[in-house]
Amino acid sequence: SQQGEEDPQALSIQEGENATMNCSYKTSINNLQWYRQNSGRGLVHLILIRSNEREKHSGRLRVTLDTSKKSSSLLITASRAADTASYFCATVFYGNNRLAFGKGNQVVVIP
Amino acid sequence: EAQVTQNPRYLITVTGKKLTVTCSQNMNHEYMSWYRQDPGLGLRQIYYSMNVEVTDKGDVPEGYKVSRKEKRNFPLILESPSPNQTSLYFCASSLAGGPGTGELFFGEGSRLTVL
């Protein structure tokens, strides 16, 4: 099945720095969602961006969507140690009401 | 508190011994789904349900069964577990329309080991 692919796969940054992750996909989407997973825990929804939207914000999170390049980015500003987690992008493709996940992006924020 | 509850959270079993992982949500969601998470493979959908008595296969349904007799419950059944079903399993739910219209709410996961 078509899935989002995150890049980079692993990221290590200092507390206070910004973290940027990218996600690419292959076919037209209905929406794209970002989730966070703390080690061994359930996934938590962060942001949903629809295909007709280009940017959304939620607190320290900023998500962009470029449908012409079939890509999205997640920016976490002023990172904190508590942001250490795996981040997944997931896509819902047109004509398909299923959420397909990428393999995830591990972010480590060093205090 | 709005939540998705899975049981058991941890289980070690042996090949061929039937088991059921229960999932219950208290948010009156129509859509429910099961995923498995494996290292290097991310999350893959097993089955999903748009509403009561409506279920459909995901990407990796082989070896699994589901049922949706009530809106709140969506059990995952492994009739004859095999070692390749050792995984971390997640149940998720969403409002009507499923992920095409909104976010998924996930349970805390059930770690299954099949010896």
Side-chain angles (χ1 to χ4, degrees):
Chain A
S1 63
Q2 302 287 345
Q3 295 182 336
E5 293 288 339
E6 295 91 348
D7 173 48
Q9 298 296 303
L11 184 62
S12 183
I13 57 174
Q14 293 291 134
E15 199 166 33
E17 292 180 339
N18 295 341
T20 300
M21 289 155 271
N22 300 307
C23 170
S24 60
Y25 56 91
K26 295 178 181 176
T27 60
S28 296
I29 60 170
N30 177 312
N31 68 61
L32 185 146
Q33 303 180 29
W34 285 92
Y35 288 80
R36 184 187 74 226
Q37 183 183 33
N38 292 92
S39 181
R41 305 290 300 275
L43 282 78
V44 175
H45 181 264
L46 297 176
I47 286 185
L48 182 154
I49 187 164
R50 302 194 185 282
S51 59
N52 61 350
E53 298 175 310
R54 291 296 166 259
E55 186 171 314
K56 285 189 86 168
H57 297 254
S58 177
R60 294 183 295 111
L61 305 179
R62 172 178 169 250
V63 167
T64 62
L65 179 64
D66 187 334
T67 52
S68 66
K69 295 181 179 178
K70 292 185 170 58
S71 67
S72 173
S73 68
L74 170 65
L75 168 67
I76 304 173
T77 60
S79 63
R80 305 167 181 169
D83 294 328
T84 294
S86 292
Y87 292 83
F88 293 85
C89 75
T91 48
V92 178
F93 299 104
Y94 272 116
N96 181 329
N97 197 19
R98 293 162 49 193
L99 193 61
F101 284 84
K103 292 182 173 57
N105 185 321
Q106 180 142 20
V107 175
V108 175
V109 181
I110 303 166
Chain B
E1 180 187 355
Q3 57 186 3
V4 178
T5 303
Q6 300 178 222
N7 280 296
R9 293 288 314 281
Y10 302 91
L11 179 63
I12 300 175
T13 189
V14 295
T15 298
K17 186 176 181 181
K18 180 180 178 179
L19 67 92
T20 299
V21 185
T22 63
C23 174
S24 180
Q25 50 90 8
N26 62 0
M27 296 170 280
N28 202 35
H29 285 169
E30 275 81 12
Y31 182 97
M32 296 186 75
S33 181
W34 278 101
Y35 289 85
R36 60 177 289 175
Q37 184 176 29
D38 302 288
L41 297 176
L43 280 91
R44 294 177 293 167
Q45 191 177 45
I46 303 171
Y47 271 95
Y48 66 100
S49 170
M50 294 296 294
N51 213 325
V52 175
E53 301 292 1
V54 180
T55 63
D56 211 342
K57 296 177 180 179
D59 297 312
V60 288
E62 295 78 20
Y64 304 94
K65 287 176 58 178
V66 293
S67 68
R68 187 88 184 275
K69 292 181 169 51
E70 308 165 282
K71 186 184 256 190
R72 65 181 294 128
N73 296 322
F74 191 44
L76 179 69
I77 304 158
L78 286 73
E79 293 271 3
S80 182
S82 62
N84 65 12
Q85 292 177 298
T86 292
S87 187
L88 178 58
Y89 291 87
F90 288 100
C91 180
S93 71
S94 178
L95 289 169
T101 54
E103 66 185 277
L104 290 186
F105 293 81
F106 279 82
E108 284 296 303
S110 296
R111 187 169 292 280
L112 171 64
T113 301
V114 183
L115 302 175

